[in-house]
């Protein structure tokens, strides 16, 4: 019964906002960087020599968070659900000359996965990228075994372009890393027909 009450609470009128990531968010981000689920689906590990970096030690976590906050080729946003910070989404490798960037996202709080929060956050960011920043193409990397993410990205209009590398998992297996692309003109068409759960309220970036 308690589980049903919690589910009802989580799925009732969720307000989705993005705001710039701040230094005060570092404790949440550090917690997520110690979550095997986040690490195994978010970070590409090219081989056994790089597998040793996981789990991150304090120095590496500090370096990663510092990059999220100060790297001028990035825009990192905190995903808030009813004002609770539940994950991060952003753009990296932003090139204002070619008008292209790479998207990244993680939902760190487990209870908010599978509710459409990631889809909503990406839609808000893609609107910002296409209409406010004037980017002509957004790209991303996804691991071939991450079927949930692949399905979501395809719903948003991303299409697989090519294999961008290999991922070495904790069991010693190699997996393909797919490079996906979304031209802004395709996003405009996809956006018109994109459906979200009725309980989600998406607030655009100002």
């Amino acid at each position: 019964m308690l589980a049903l009450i919690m589910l009802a609470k989580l799925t009732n009128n969720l307000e989705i906002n993005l705001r710039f990531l701040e230094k005060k968010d570092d404790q949440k981000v550090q917690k997520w960087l110690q979550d095997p689920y986040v690490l195994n689906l978010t970070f590409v590990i090219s081989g056994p020599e790089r597998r040793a970096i996981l789990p991150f030690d304090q120095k590496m976590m500090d370096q990663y968070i510092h990059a999220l906050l100060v790297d001028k080729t990035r825009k990192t946003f905190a995903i808030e659900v009813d004002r609770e910070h539940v994950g991060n989404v952003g753009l990296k490798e932003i090139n204002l000359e070619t008008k292209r960037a790479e998207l990244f996202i993680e939902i760190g709080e487990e209870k908010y996965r599978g509710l459409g929060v990631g889809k909503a956050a990406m839609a808000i960011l893609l609107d910002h990228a296409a209409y406010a920043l004037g980017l002509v193409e957004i790209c991303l990397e996804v691991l071939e075994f991450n079927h949930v993410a692949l399905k979501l990205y395809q719903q948003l209009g991303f299409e697989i372009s090519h294999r961008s590398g290999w991922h070495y998992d904790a069991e010693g297996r190699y997996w393909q890393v797919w490079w996906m692309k979304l031209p802004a003109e395709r996003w405009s068409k996809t956006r018109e027909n994109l459906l979200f759960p009725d309980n989600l309220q998406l607030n655009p970036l100002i």
Side-chain angles (χ1 to χ4, degrees):
M1 179 63 71
L2 179 61
L4 290 175
I5 293 173
M6 287 295 294
L7 180 60
K9 182 178 180 181
L10 286 175
T11 56
N12 184 36
N13 298 326
L14 302 179
E15 184 176 352
I16 315 298
N17 292 282
L18 301 187
R19 61 164 174 80
F20 277 112
L21 194 72
E22 302 174 19
K23 181 66 174 67
K24 67 180 178 66
D25 300 314
D26 63 352
Q27 293 301 311
K28 273 283 188 85
V29 178
Q30 287 192 49
K31 183 184 78 169
W32 301 334
L33 289 176
Q34 298 174 70
D35 183 342
Y37 179 90
V38 173
L39 291 175
N40 291 333
L41 294 180
T42 303
F43 292 91
V44 175
I45 306 299
S46 56
E49 72 285 351
R50 289 201 64 227
R51 191 76 215 175
I53 72 173
L54 299 181
F56 289 141
D57 59 23
Q58 188 62 50
K59 180 180 179 181
M60 295 191 69
M61 286 193 286
D62 289 343
Q63 290 174 343
Y64 177 71
I65 294 169
H66 181 74
L68 291 179
L69 293 170
V70 306
D71 186 345
K72 295 186 182 303
T73 68
R74 288 178 180 258
K75 283 181 177 288
T76 307
F77 300 93
I79 304 169
E80 291 189 333
V81 178
D82 293 340
R83 305 302 174 183
E84 178 184 353
H85 183 194
V86 305
N88 299 320
V89 67
L91 301 170
K92 62 181 180 179
E93 305 297 335
I94 300 171
N95 188 323
L96 296 180
E97 291 186 4
T98 63
K99 297 187 181 301
R100 288 171 169 79
E102 183 179 345
L103 186 148
F104 62 92
I105 185 171
E106 68 238 0
I107 303 298
E109 297 299 320
E110 182 179 3
K111 67 182 180 180
Y112 289 103
R113 297 172 190 154
L115 301 178
V117 172
K119 181 179 179 180
M122 290 181 69
I124 295 170
L125 181 61
L126 288 168
D127 281 346
H128 180 70
Y131 308 132
L133 301 181
L135 300 184
V136 300
E137 186 176 74
I138 305 297
C139 305
L140 57 80
E141 285 186 323
V142 60
L143 303 173
E144 67 168 303
F145 59 79
N146 194 350
H147 302 297
V148 173
L150 273 166
K151 182 178 179 180
L152 168 60
Y153 300 154
Q154 288 167 341
Q155 288 177 355
L156 293 168
F158 285 89
E159 292 183 352
I160 293 175
S161 170
H162 59 275
R163 178 177 61 78
S164 66
W166 295 97
H167 172 73
Y168 185 80
D169 72 11
E171 282 72 47
R173 297 170 297 187
Y174 279 97
W175 300 88
Q176 293 186 103
V177 182
W178 294 119
W179 186 256
M180 304 185 77
K181 294 182 178 181
L182 174 61
E185 58 184 24
R186 188 189 303 147
W187 169 244
S188 296
K189 296 176 182 177
T190 303
R191 188 68 174 89
E192 294 177 359
N193 301 310
L194 207 55
L195 299 177
F196 297 94
D198 292 338
N199 63 302
L200 295 187
Q201 176 185 327
L202 282 64
N203 295 329
L205 273 166
I206 300 174

